[in-house]
Amino acid sequence: MRDLVMIFARETLRYVFVSAANQIPRFHTLDFVRTSILRWAGLKIGEKSRISGHLVLEFSLRRATVKHISIGNDCFLGYNCRISASKAEVCIGNKCNIGPNVSIETAGHWFNRKADKRHSYHKPVTIEDNVWIGAGCIILPGVTIGRNSIVAAGAVVAKDVAEGVLVGGVPARTIKTLSDFPANAFPALAEAVA
């Protein structure tokens, strides 16, 4: 019984930390304060990573759902991102940019018509290094997004994404291989990165 009380108290404290972090206004400097508080709540967040605004997490007072989330170094998560990781892991690599209102889901449901019963399944989501995910995307269970890829705004990613491609649409499909872009397509960007 004592163990259950301790687990309940620890998970309640995590919830309080996440709630406090979500009350901090969106402002560049305060984003790092928010990120520190989320680390105290148990999220694995790398150095120089920033969470800009409200982060929606799935909670359970029976198990540490935030322990299934890891965010790499130098990442940016836009406001109102949802990460569902109650029974499967979400791993976000280094230097990833995730736009606002992105939903990363690890759980799904299927219906058995003969038994007239709904079943759930849980699969991990992996976002490799240097991935950009546009605003309003939905990443479904079991998906791996390859490094150096871009997911266009509003896409629903139901299958794995190869390395170095641009995907978009519902469901997401490959639009272009990123090496196909001419080297001088974005001169201002090239100067800024150099």
Side-chain angles (χ1 to χ4, degrees):
M1 181 67 173
R2 185 175 186 274
D3 289 341
L4 288 175
V5 171
M6 291 303 293
I7 291 170
F8 179 81
R10 185 176 55 237
E11 296 312 309
T12 301
L13 190 58
R14 287 185 206 280
Y15 180 80
V16 168
F17 278 135
V18 171
S19 296
N22 283 337
Q23 297 307 312
I24 296 172
R26 287 182 54 224
F27 183 71
H28 181 77
T29 306
L30 295 177
D31 290 347
F32 294 103
V33 174
R34 176 183 302 100
T35 303
S36 295
I37 294 171
L38 290 170
R39 284 187 187 110
W40 295 342
L43 270 80
K44 293 176 227 122
I45 304 173
E47 293 180 17
K48 297 182 184 176
S49 288
R50 192 172 81 135
I51 297 172
S52 177
H54 191 79
L55 180 64
V56 180
L57 300 174
E58 187 173 13
F59 270 99
S60 168
L61 295 177
R62 292 178 292 142
R63 62 184 168 266
T65 56
V66 297
K67 293 280 188 180
H68 295 266
I69 301 168
S70 69
I71 300 169
N73 297 322
D74 199 19
C75 291
F76 174 85
L77 274 72
Y79 64 90
N80 206 32
C81 281
R82 172 184 155 76
I83 302 175
S84 162
S86 68
K87 293 183 181 178
E89 296 205 359
V90 172
C91 182
I92 299 171
N94 299 318
K95 297 185 178 182
C96 291
N97 289 318
I98 299 176
N101 300 311
V102 169
S103 183
I104 301 171
E105 302 296 329
T106 61
H109 299 91
W110 60 276
F111 187 74
N112 183 339
R113 293 188 195 284
K114 290 180 183 176
D116 196 29
K117 189 172 181 183
R118 178 181 57 97
H119 299 279
S120 64
Y121 62 90
H122 303 270
K123 294 181 180 179
V125 171
T126 303
I127 300 169
E128 295 181 351
D129 295 344
N130 198 35
V131 169
W132 287 15
I133 299 175
C137 290
I138 299 172
I139 312 299
L140 295 177
V143 167
T144 296
I145 300 176
R147 63 179 359 140
N148 301 321
S149 292
I150 297 173
V151 180
V156 176
V157 183
K159 295 181 181 176
D160 289 352
V161 174
E163 289 187 13
V165 297
L166 168 66
V167 299
V170 179
R173 61 188 182 284
T174 301
I175 296 171
K176 193 165 198 115
T177 301
L178 294 177
S179 62
D180 291 347
F181 287 112
N184 60 355
F186 305 104
L189 180 61
E191 291 172 14
V193 191

